Amino acid sequence: SRSQSASDASGKDIQEPPGFEAIERRVQGDARSYGGNLADDITSRLSPDKLAQETAQSQALGYYGSPTHQLYGGLVERLTDGRLSAADALRLNPCGGLVGAGCGTSSQLLSAVFRSGPVYQHALLHDALGFLRTTSGIGPGYTYTGFSFLAATSPLGGQLSGIFWHIPYRGWIPGISVASTLVPWSQRSR
């Protein structure tokens, strides 16, 4: 097992959830087996009008390219082992990583309230895995914990189980290499 840990500013141990390694291996395996160019294929499946609208909303909120949005992109890049770049993840999912649905006012308010902790952590991983599953069939989808009565492609699936899954790992932020907690995964030394 390559489970990683580090310490936060107060010296408290930060650990990656034990189940994350299995999720990461599954998604990376799916990405390696994927028969096409992920960015091109996902782009062709998305509505250009909807993507333009979501990008405009994300930019208007000041979210597009924000630190949280960059963490989301880095997480997608990490999960796909670089087969989908962080930049492409940001471009193709301009609201990825926000708490709540889309880029609306409710997402803005929820994201302001939940700037850290299990809900924030879950939003990043939930959006990354849901995006990959719904756009390319890669990974476990929104129901990454395995506890949901809803389909892996339903954004409502896995909400409570995902939040509860993160509670013991409050300091861990998906998309950050725990070995170097302040460096986005996409910028870590390889």
Side-chain angles (χ1 to χ4, degrees), residues 42-43 46-73 76 84-104 107-108 111 123-124 127-128 131 135 142:
I42 292 170
T43 299
L46 298 175
S47 160
D49 292 339
K50 183 177 181 197
L51 190 56
Q53 179 185 19
E54 288 178 355
T55 301
Q57 288 176 319
S58 181
Q59 290 170 337
L61 289 175
Y63 180 71
Y64 195 94
S66 69
T68 299
H69 199 213
Q70 290 179 37
L71 283 175
Y72 166 81
V76 171
L84 186 64
S85 72
D88 282 333
L90 301 183
R91 178 178 60 81
L92 296 170
N93 195 1
C95 303
L98 277 171
V99 177
C103 286
S107 291
Q108 187 178 12
S111 291
L124 289 165
D127 283 4
F131 169 74
T135 60
Y142 291 111

